[in-house]
Amino acid sequence: MIELFQKGGPAMWPLLALSVVAIAVMAERAITLYRARTDTETFLARIAAALEVQRYDDALESARSGHGAMARILAAGLEKVKRGRGEVERAIETRGNVEVGRLEKGLSLLQAVAKTAPLIGFFGTVAGMINAFEAMGKAGAGDPAAVAVGISEALITTAGGLAVAIPVFFVHSLLLGKVNSFVMEMEEASMRFLDALEKAEEKQALQLSREEIGGTYLEI
């Protein structure tokens, strides 16, 4: 492997650098997405149960004690409950955008690596072919050994660029799919949370109206 790397010429060094960066980003993204997982059903059920009895502080505490992007999004919404539904929706949307940005962090870099590595390999191929033709010009077409080094360099750099780009592109697609899945899950959970909040507000309004009617009857 080391021998092939050396035969690949100068273009192998930036390919090596790109591969190291890609591995670091992929590992960090995998850990981040793993930690972002949430048992959505259990989490929402706990918050919905607190909202049903108008225990907003308990719902907020449950959200704050949770982990992952979903917990932070719902906590941001619950913090604005007393300011009205409009503020709650804006807080959820704002926090959701922040969380999505965090989940997508680094994916653009992986995409750049997947696109750049083949270009560097192609550059190395061109450089190798130039060296091959120069050697041919000096030694003549009758000496294949003279051009073998340049052709070898060209083929190795091409293979090196593809060897970096293909797995990076594959992992990038997997991570992007996981992020999109998270986003869909967060959107669905946010809608269910808002529905639960609306039912809690309607129930609270109904109770207040009954108390007002009862008070009026008592006064009469």
Side-chain angles (χ1 to χ4, degrees):
M1 185 65 69
I2 296 177
E3 184 179 355
L4 285 176
F5 182 86
Q6 293 174 343
K7 289 181 178 180
M12 298 299 289
W13 289 104
L15 288 177
L16 176 62
L18 288 178
S19 64
V20 171
V21 170
I23 291 172
V25 173
M26 288 187 292
E28 187 273 335
R29 285 295 87 196
I31 294 172
T32 298
L33 292 177
Y34 177 81
R35 291 178 176 175
R37 295 186 309 169
T38 303
D39 186 354
T40 305
E41 294 298 327
T42 303
F43 183 66
L44 284 176
R46 187 165 64 247
I47 291 180
L51 292 176
E52 188 175 0
V53 292
Q54 289 87 49
R55 298 178 67 175
Y56 298 107
D57 291 338
D58 291 347
L60 177 58
E61 185 62 28
S62 296
R64 286 176 173 173
S65 63
H67 70 278
M70 180 55 60
R72 291 188 289 269
I73 290 173
L74 298 190
L78 286 166
E79 290 173 355
K80 304 294 183 180
V81 165
K82 296 181 180 179
R83 299 187 182 182
R85 184 180 177 86
E87 288 293 326
V88 172
E89 292 180 354
R90 279 191 288 272
I92 288 177
E93 182 179 359
T94 301
R95 188 66 195 186
N97 291 334
V98 172
E99 295 299 331
V100 171
R102 286 182 175 179
L103 293 176
E104 292 179 341
K105 181 181 178 182
L107 294 185
S108 59
L109 180 56
L110 289 181
Q111 187 178 29
V113 170
K115 291 182 178 181
T116 304
L119 296 177
I120 294 176
F122 180 69
F123 173 79
T125 300
V126 174
M129 294 304 296
I130 291 174
N131 293 334
F133 280 111
E134 285 184 352
M136 184 184 299
K138 294 178 181 179
D143 186 6
V147 300
V149 175
I151 295 176
S152 175
E153 177 182 340
L155 295 176
I156 290 173
T157 53
T158 300
L162 294 176
V164 174
I166 291 173
V168 171
F169 178 78
F170 178 73
V171 174
H172 171 267
S173 298
L174 291 180
L175 293 176
L176 184 60
K178 191 65 176 178
V179 169
N180 291 335
S181 177
F182 269 121
V183 172
M184 292 179 62
E185 183 179 347
M186 288 188 292
E187 290 178 351
E188 181 182 357
S190 297
M191 292 300 298
R192 292 171 60 184
F193 164 73
L194 291 174
D195 289 340
L197 181 60
E198 183 177 4
K199 291 179 181 179
E201 291 174 344
E202 290 175 353
K203 185 176 181 179
Q204 185 177 18
L206 181 60
Q207 290 176 349
L208 291 175
S209 64
R210 287 177 178 175
E211 291 175 0
E212 291 177 357
I213 292 174
T216 302
Y217 285 151
L218 290 174
E219 290 178 2
I220 293 175

